[in-house]
Amino acid sequence: MKSASIVCLLLAAFAVSSPSRAQESALAATPPMGWNSWNHFAEKIDDATVRAQADAMVASGMRDAGYVYINIDDTWEGQRDAQGFIHANQKFPDMKALADYVHSKGLKLGIYSSPGPKTCAGYEGSYGHEEQDAQTYAQWGVDYLKYDLCSFNDSAMKQAASPEAAHQLMIGAYQKMHDGLLKTKRPIVFSLCQYGMDSVWRWGASVGGNSWRTTDDINDTYERMETIGFGQAGLSRYAAPGHWNDPDMLEVGNGGMKPDEYRTHMSLWALLAAPLLAGNDLTKMTSETVALLTNREVIAIDQDPLGKQGDRVWAEGAYEIWAKPLTGGAKAVGVFNRQSTWMKPSQVEVDFRMLGFKDAVHVRDVWQGKDLGRISGLYKVTVPTHGVVLLRITP
Ligand code: GAL
């Protein structure tokens, strides 16, 4: 199919589905915030651990800072009964009771499935049971679904006659679950996970996606986080209230990166208006980790109601400047230094005119929580290697 006709089809799909999309944009008006079990616990996740994470989200102050979703990733799934209804495995004896517990803390519960017959970890997927599974999730009190392509790619899509046919099958599979979720009448955030295939940012919203993963998995190294984070350049135009680019979950607090590197991770994700899904063990956080995850000013950049994703505005060698428009004509600006860590911190010159400010601006250093006063023209900042200076600029 010619790309022009794909665009027409997408526009048509967009127009047809607009009433339900209004409901969705209320659902994820700002990027979803919460916690997900996968990065830290992987398959070692059970009812008691999820409850402990919910408790810790409240006790640590994360809930009050805006984190809401407690998301169970893969490996909760058990068998289907004779009527085809999915049941959780022995690690989750009563999913409804767990949802009630999470709700009693003022939080929401998320769950995980695949459009394929099997999930990525080889557990039962939703293939052929989409509507039934959506009903089950709604009955349990689930508020968020991560829908991970997994075996749908290896089974149905591999057998398709052409790449276009495979693409249509994938779109159909996501649409099917979205229809199932809408039928439940329960607001359930729909989080697409297919690793950014087929430029998902171009069509994710048309199948009801409130977010879509733009990349393959993150891990707890600076190199992987850097590849993913800085690789998001150019995607800002596809994010808006109700549907967001998702560069994968946070690794902050898992121990594999230095403080400057985690500050880069948080700053970049906030500038990207990315979902902020903590991926660490919330019951064992240092005060540094709590401070990184709950910095109100950083979260306010991510959650700014204007709903605009930031993008790269300047790069020279290992130095980059990213900017995100905020309400009231303000801008968040990240100055990054990607030089190797054996080098000294570098001075980078920020040109406020290049950022669209002709007159003097008010500048605040976000991580330092310090007002730097009114500045015009050029401003030099010293940025540590693998680090960032995050500024909030107000006209
Ligand atoms: C991957 C996904 C991860 C995690 C994992 C579970 O495909 O990208 O975020 O969900 O599956 O098996």
Side-chain angles (χ1 to χ4, degrees):
M1 195 185 299
K2 296 259 180 339
S3 59
S5 22
I6 293 179
V7 170
C8 288
L9 272 180
L10 288 179
L11 287 177
F14 220 73
V16 168
S17 60
S18 59
S20 60
R21 288 172 35 73
Q23 182 205 345
E24 285 142 25
S25 70
L27 194 53
T30 59
M33 289 178 67
W35 169 89
N36 172 293
S37 59
W38 188 255
N39 285 358
H40 187 86
F41 293 96
E43 74 284 357
K44 293 194 190 70
I45 188 69
D46 57 18
D47 178 283
T49 308
V50 172
R51 284 172 193 247
Q53 300 302 312
D55 293 347
M57 187 175 272
V58 177
S60 63
M62 283 179 69
R63 180 191 64 185
D64 294 344
Y67 292 84
V68 176
Y69 293 97
I70 293 282
N71 293 350
I72 306 167
D73 208 277
D74 204 353
T75 80
W76 65 266
E77 308 87 343
Q79 301 304 314
R80 294 189 182 279
D81 62 23
Q83 284 74 46
F85 287 101
I86 184 91
H87 295 270
N89 57 39
Q90 72 288 354
K91 299 192 294 175
F92 291 92
D94 188 341
M95 217 38 123
K96 168 101 180 62
L98 178 56
D100 290 346
Y101 183 79
V102 168
H103 292 154
S104 77
K105 303 263 154 184
L107 300 170
K108 296 184 173 181
L109 187 72
I111 213 163
Y112 167 101
S113 190
S114 170
K118 292 282 174 218
T119 67
C120 289
Y123 288 69
E124 186 72 16
S126 290
Y127 185 72
H129 296 274
E130 294 81 0
E131 201 179 314
Q132 212 175 9
D133 284 358
Q135 293 294 340
T136 301
Y137 305 150
Q139 257 166 34
W140 286 342
V142 164
D143 308 289
Y144 184 116
L145 173 67
K146 173 173 169 184
Y147 207 42
D148 192 349
L149 193 66
C150 304
S151 66
F152 193 79
N153 194 16
D154 303 327
S155 52
M157 285 170 70
K158 280 236 167 85
Q159 285 151 26
S162 66
E164 281 81 8
H167 176 70
Q168 289 308 324
L169 278 175
M170 176 170 58
I171 289 195
Y174 278 101
Q175 184 67 57
K176 199 181 244 178
M177 182 49 96
H178 180 233
D179 292 343
L181 293 175
L182 285 178
K183 268 202 184 151
T184 69
K185 304 267 191 279
R186 184 177 175 85
I188 299 178
V189 170
F190 191 33
S191 157
L192 273 51
C193 179
Q194 45 78 281
Y195 339 111
M197 278 165 57
D198 294 359
S199 305
V200 61
W201 41 86
R202 291 178 180 257
W203 53 267
S206 73
V207 295
N210 296 117
S211 68
W212 45 81
R213 276 272 296 276
T214 54
T215 75
D216 207 342
D217 292 16
I218 196 168
N219 62 41
D220 191 19
T221 61
Y222 176 76
E223 289 65 32
R224 184 68 190 139
M225 181 280 293
E226 177 195 38
T227 303
I228 290 180
F230 292 105
Q232 302 300 299
L235 298 187
S236 57
R237 79 192 80 142
Y238 300 104
H243 48 94
W244 309 97
N245 289 303
D246 172 10
D248 206 359
M249 302 165 296
L250 298 172
E251 291 284 4
V252 175
N254 279 331
M257 291 185 233
K258 304 238 161 58
D260 275 329
E261 299 175 334
Y262 279 142
R263 257 188 295 279
T264 291
H265 188 9
M266 278 304 284
S267 306
L268 204 41
W269 264 237
L271 288 163
L272 293 170
L276 295 180
L277 296 172
N280 57 318
D281 181 353
L282 305 184
T283 68
K284 295 194 180 87
M285 291 195 282
T286 61
S287 51
E288 286 79 17
T289 297
V290 176
L292 279 165
L293 286 170
T294 59
N295 185 299
R296 295 292 209 278
E297 296 185 44
V298 177
I299 290 174
I301 292 170
D302 181 79
Q303 297 287 302
D304 187 86
L306 191 61
K308 290 246 189 258
Q309 177 172 333
D311 220 319
R312 182 188 282 146
V313 291
W314 177 88
E316 196 176 294
Y319 311 116
E320 300 199 8
I321 300 181
W322 289 61
K324 177 186 199 282
L326 305 173
T327 34
K331 272 188 182 160
V333 174
V335 188
F336 297 91
N337 177 0
R338 299 174 66 184
Q339 292 272 24
S340 307
T341 46
W342 60 266
M343 296 196 193
K344 290 201 190 81
S346 303
Q347 277 213 328
V348 182
E349 210 166 49
V350 183
D351 183 349
F352 293 128
R353 283 162 306 200
M354 185 260 302
L355 291 166
F357 299 104
K358 283 201 207 81
D359 304 320
V361 285
H362 177 86
V363 183
R364 184 169 169 80
D365 185 315
V366 172
W367 284 111
Q368 288 198 34
K370 210 161 112 189
D371 285 328
L372 304 176
R374 288 190 81 75
I375 301 172
S376 58
L378 298 174
Y379 179 63
K380 276 190 188 147
V381 290
T382 304
V383 195
T385 55
H386 288 192
V388 59
V389 171
L390 185 61
L391 304 173
R392 187 182 182 105
I393 300 181
T394 323

